[in-house]
Amino acid sequence: MSDILMPKATAVWLVDNTSLSFEQIADFCGLHPLEVRGIADGDVARDIRGVDPVTGGQLTREELDKAQGDENYRMKAIVSRHAELLKSAKPAPKYTPVSRRQDRPDAIAWFVRNHPEVTDAQIAKMLGTTKSTIESVRNRTHWNSANIKPVDPVTLGLVGQLALDEIVKKAADKKAKDDLKNGGGTIQPVEQVEAEPEFVPEARQRPGAEPTAESVFGTKY
């Protein structure tokens, strides 16, 4: 199907202003040939005003002339920048099968117990849940708290191992940076080991006297 803007309005203009066949117009506009015939007969799109695809930048004059000279030729539309901008770049929301939705509280409990550094927003995005549900599991106010038990979300089939490792690593790195910024990650000084007292002989030896074991190593107590 064609991605041109206002296909019916374009078909109305082509029917009224060109000698193209119904099949050519239908192919270009992404319509059924019978629908184009209905436009020509006035049964379809009666109140729609025609739009020129040439001045609208969706078709070149060369393409139009070529198609009018050969009824077997199919026109190629110019890719519209407006049509591209209208396309949603946002990925489709993650769908969790109904059979797996009951496992979400168990996965939430696993995060709460094993990775408190992962934020509620990250958990909600990964598991497709809400912050209020996470809070109810954490505070044990969830309606099914009695049956909730922490289970790895990978084991439950809710996420992949690589995605889980990535989110845990990001959360751990952020926590380490925050701790360092707040002074919680500074290295504490190592306790000094008490040095042995220096041995001082109780009495000096007389000059010329031969040293004894007591004078060198001290008196043994």
Side-chain angles (χ1 to χ4, degrees), residues 51-69:
V51 174
D52 184 353
V54 177
T55 58
Q58 300 188 86
L59 179 68
T60 63
R61 175 59 62 178
E62 291 75 14
E63 278 288 294
L64 179 58
D65 292 341
K66 188 174 181 180
Q68 290 186 107

Side-chain angles (χ1 to χ4, degrees), residues 127-140:
L127 300 181
T129 185
T130 63
K131 291 184 179 180
S132 59
T133 301
I134 298 171
E135 192 65 23
S136 66
V137 172
R138 179 182 289 111
N139 298 333
R140 299 192 65 79

